[in-house]
Amino acid sequence: MRIPHVPRPRSLAGQLFGMQAVLIAVVVAGYALFTYVSDRSQAEDAAGRQAMAVARSVADSPSVIAAIGTSNPTAHLESYSLKVQRDTQVDFITIMNPQGIRWTHPDRKQIGKKFLGHIKPALKGDSFTETYTGTLGASVRAVTPVKSGDTVIGLVSAGIRVEAITQRVQDQVTALIGVAAGALALGAVGTYVVNARLRRHTHGMNATELSHMHDYHQAALHAVREGLLMLDGQYRVALMNDGGRELLGVGPEVDVVGRSVASLGLPAPLTGALLSSEPRVDEVHLTASRVLVVNTSPVSGGERRGTVVTLRDVTELQSLMGELDSERGFTQALRSQAHEAANRLHTVVSLIELGRAEEAVDFATAELELAQTLTDQVVSAVNEPVLAALLLGKTAQSNERGVELVVSEDSGLDDGLLPDSLPARDLVTILGNLIDNAVDAAQGSLRARVTVTARTEAEAGAGGSALVLRVADTGAGVDPAHAEAVFQRGFSTKPAGPGGRGLGLALVRQAVNRHEGTLTVAEAEGGGAVFEVRLPLRGVGAGAGVDSGSGAGAGRGRASSQGSVSEGGTS
């Protein structure tokens, strides 16, 4: 069984065209009908006035009054009435006696017969008009008395047939219909042009399709997690979805539509990217708490109409990439240490083969004590496992690059001291990037060294404590004029690599701001730069191992204890 074809709803432009065409047709038809009725009424009134004027002119004529007084009025009045009838363009003029017997008539056969119509008002001296059907058909006629003094001596009736009046109105209506048809055609053409333009803008979709598209549009805007920002030609916000508000830190109570991008309080590099007339592809920008990938695409159709901006949050991805970089560094350090261990093992084996067993034992013991001393030094100072592992890995990496990384004697950080509100991932981001930056700066300098301090200190007047991370290097230092710029994304004093530079310190600052801490840079003693991070430890008391001297002393005590255990284990 074949399913009958259901016609597709007309497009919105087509529906509007049909509605406008019908509206114009109804208006024109109504106006034509009104004009026809009005013109007919006006034509009948005009015919009545014309007939009355002719009848009174005949009744007032002295020759008519004189002819009525003769013995044969018809002989004197017939030719006169016919002449006046032709000159005044009326259909008949009838002159009769007071009893209504005709003296004249266009049809000679009707002369001498009684007038068909009302004459009583005229016999009383009044003139009147009426529409009446007589011998010539329906007509609009006027009847007026012929007086000699105050005596009515005759009557005059002049009339115009209704058929003639109708013909006049029809001629006018025909002209009106022609004008109306022209107006309808002109309106239809104008409507078609307007709706063709509308059809192009609506892509031929009907109202239902447009309504569904709007619903899908709204649902998509609120559903996607990615940020979507639409700017007009003057770089004002035309649309911002929920994801865009969240990623840019704009609250739902803030009305951003119509505002310039420059007034949103975004970081200068991000604002510059949004205001750029050139498309941007996968650019990384930082806000106060997020790392965003920004793509911009101009909307143009012969002229610039605006910009579509998409925003993706890669904060967690960037953090994971930082951790991955650290893991890669650890792997490289382990590979290097494995290579060195293999060399030392070959040395020990060779000494044994040469019969120098005592030298082999002394060599192996010295190497083991050196490695254990390094581990004990880091772990005794920083007992927090994540930071300890990070420092050990960075120490091996730094040694490979010819930079000595040491943990200062006043470091002291016990395991379990850091609250859950300070995740290890952020600590790796902060300390790892600071160490990498310091190693870059110190590499190639005389006695290249990076000194790391990690400890807790009491907050003056705050009744709490703070985690202090301090990284000093022996590099060239930081120009005071650039003390603020070094923390902005893209700033670097070294040539850009394949992945770009200037992101590490910006990520450090972002993580510090996220935990409401402070980040400063100053000149280190003996040259170089020292970066200091202070992070408040909420929920940790000021006396929880925070004394300025106890932490370091406890660390050194643990170092001695662990050193003796290691020594006993290797003897």
Side-chain angles (χ1 to χ4, degrees):
M1 179 179 179
R2 184 178 179 181
I3 301 176
H5 175 69
V6 179
R8 179 177 178 268
R10 293 179 60 87
S11 67
L12 179 61
Q15 295 180 26
L16 290 177
F17 174 76
M19 291 176 59
Q20 292 177 357
V22 171
L23 180 61
I24 292 176
V26 170
V27 170
V28 171
Y31 180 71
L33 178 62
F34 171 77
T35 302
Y36 175 79
V37 175
S38 177
D39 285 356
R40 183 178 180 86
S41 176
Q42 292 177 3
E44 290 180 355
D45 292 342
R49 290 193 297 271
Q50 181 182 358
M52 180 61 73
V54 172
R56 285 182 175 176
S57 297
V58 172
D60 292 339
S61 174
S63 59
V64 172
I65 296 174
I68 291 176
T70 63
S71 59
N72 188 8
T74 299
H76 297 86
L77 297 176
E78 186 177 12
S79 59
Y80 172 76
S81 63
L82 292 175
K83 184 177 183 304
V84 173
Q85 176 182 324
R86 289 192 301 271
D87 293 343
T88 58
Q89 296 182 349
V90 295
D91 291 324
F92 68 89
I93 296 177
T94 299
I95 305 174
M96 67 198 86
N97 63 20
Q99 289 75 36
I101 303 302
R102 303 185 185 98
W103 285 326
T104 63
H105 194 276
D107 184 3
R108 292 183 61 85
K109 295 179 181 179
Q110 302 299 326
I111 295 176
K113 294 182 179 180
K114 190 174 180 61
F115 175 74
L116 299 179
H118 300 94
I119 60 174
K120 290 182 179 180
L123 293 176
K124 296 178 181 180
D126 297 329
S127 299
F128 68 95
T129 59
E130 66 174 351
T131 300
Y132 197 85
T133 301
T135 57
L136 299 178
S139 62
V140 177
R141 59 181 62 182
V143 181
T144 187
V146 180
K147 295 182 179 179
S148 177
D150 292 333
T151 305
V152 176
I153 61 175
L155 302 173
V156 177
S157 176
I160 301 174
R161 291 179 300 166
V162 172
E163 181 181 352
I165 297 173
T166 302
Q167 186 61 42
R168 295 179 188 178
V169 174
Q170 288 177 349
D171 293 342
Q172 295 177 358
V173 170
T174 300
L176 175 64
I177 291 175
V179 174
L184 179 60
L186 182 62
V189 171
T191 302
Y192 176 81
V193 172
V194 171
N195 285 278
R197 182 177 180 87
L198 178 61
R199 189 163 49 249
R200 287 196 301 271
H201 286 296
T202 60
H203 301 285
M205 290 186 290
N206 57 44
T208 302
E209 292 171 336
L210 287 175
S211 177
H212 289 168
M213 177 170 287
H214 177 268
D215 294 340
Y216 297 148
H217 173 267
Q218 292 297 321
L221 285 180
H222 292 286
V224 296
R225 294 186 59 188
E226 287 74 13
L228 178 62
L229 186 64
M230 294 186 181
L231 311 178
D232 61 16
Q234 285 72 44
Y235 298 100
R236 295 173 301 197
V237 178
L239 182 146
M240 182 185 294
N241 71 339
D242 297 344
R245 287 179 175 272
E246 180 181 356
L247 296 181
L248 295 179
V250 179
E253 71 281 356
V254 180
D255 185 11
V256 297
V257 176
R259 291 179 55 182
S260 172
V261 172
S263 66
L264 297 181
L266 303 177
L270 178 56
T271 301
L274 299 181
L275 294 177
S276 174
S277 60
E278 300 296 328
R280 301 296 181 95
V281 179
D282 291 341
E283 283 195 359
V284 178
H285 289 272
L286 274 71
T287 65
S289 59
R290 296 180 184 272
V291 181
L292 303 179
V293 173
V294 179
N295 288 272
T296 67
S297 177
V299 179
S300 60
E303 61 180 10
R304 181 178 180 82
R305 297 181 179 176
T307 307
V308 176
V309 181
T310 58
L311 307 169
R312 283 182 291 137
D313 186 8
V314 294
T315 306
E316 295 184 1
L317 177 61
Q318 191 66 44
S319 179
L320 291 174
M321 289 177 62
E323 293 184 16
L324 178 59
D325 290 340
S326 298
E327 295 296 335
R328 287 174 177 171
F330 297 155
T331 303
Q332 293 175 359
L334 289 174
R335 185 181 298 114
S336 176
Q337 290 177 354
H339 182 72
E340 291 297 323
N343 290 336
R344 297 185 183 102
L345 182 58
H346 286 308
T347 302
V348 172
V349 172
S350 298
L351 288 172
I352 294 175
E353 290 177 347
L354 293 174
R356 297 177 178 267
E358 293 183 2
E359 285 92 342
V361 171
D362 292 340
F363 178 80
T365 302
E367 290 296 324
L368 183 59
E369 288 180 349
L370 179 62
Q372 188 63 46
T373 299
L374 175 62
T375 302
D376 290 345
Q377 179 186 3
V378 173
V379 174
S380 63
V382 180
N383 202 25
E384 209 288 324
V386 175
L387 291 185
L390 175 67
L391 290 173
L392 287 173
K394 292 297 182 182
T395 300
Q397 285 183 282
S398 302
N399 290 335
E400 286 186 353
R401 299 175 61 180
V403 178
E404 181 185 6
L405 189 148
V406 298
V407 180
S408 65
E409 294 183 356
D410 60 345
S411 295
L413 193 61
D414 292 333
D415 186 15
L417 180 63
L418 301 181
D420 294 337
S421 60
L422 188 59
R425 177 181 297 177
D426 287 348
L427 291 178
V428 171
T429 298
I430 295 172
L431 191 57
N433 281 290
L434 288 179
I435 293 176
D436 290 340
N437 182 75
V439 171
D440 285 341
Q443 189 175 11
S445 64
L446 183 62
R447 296 180 180 177
R449 173 181 290 188
V450 172
T451 304
V452 178
T453 302
R455 56 175 291 131
T456 54
E457 291 182 0
E459 290 275 43
S465 60
L467 172 64
V468 178
L469 302 175
R470 188 179 297 113
V471 179
D473 61 69
T474 58
V478 176
D479 188 343
H482 298 155
E484 180 65 23
V486 292
F487 301 115
Q488 295 181 2
R489 194 259 175 185
F491 181 89
S492 179
T493 59
K494 294 183 176 294
R501 300 190 68 90
L503 184 61
L505 291 180
L507 291 175
V508 171
R509 184 177 195 177
Q510 186 183 77
V512 170
N513 290 338
R514 191 158 53 240
H515 294 285
E516 300 179 1
T518 60
L519 172 61
T520 58
V521 58
E523 184 178 357
E525 295 181 4
V530 55
F531 289 82
E532 181 177 285
V533 173
R534 300 183 69 89
L535 300 175
L537 300 178
R538 298 179 180 85
V540 179
V546 184
D547 183 82
S548 60
S550 62
R556 285 189 292 271
R558 287 192 304 271
S560 301
S561 173
Q562 292 176 355
S564 62
V565 171
S566 301
E567 185 176 355
T570 57
S571 60

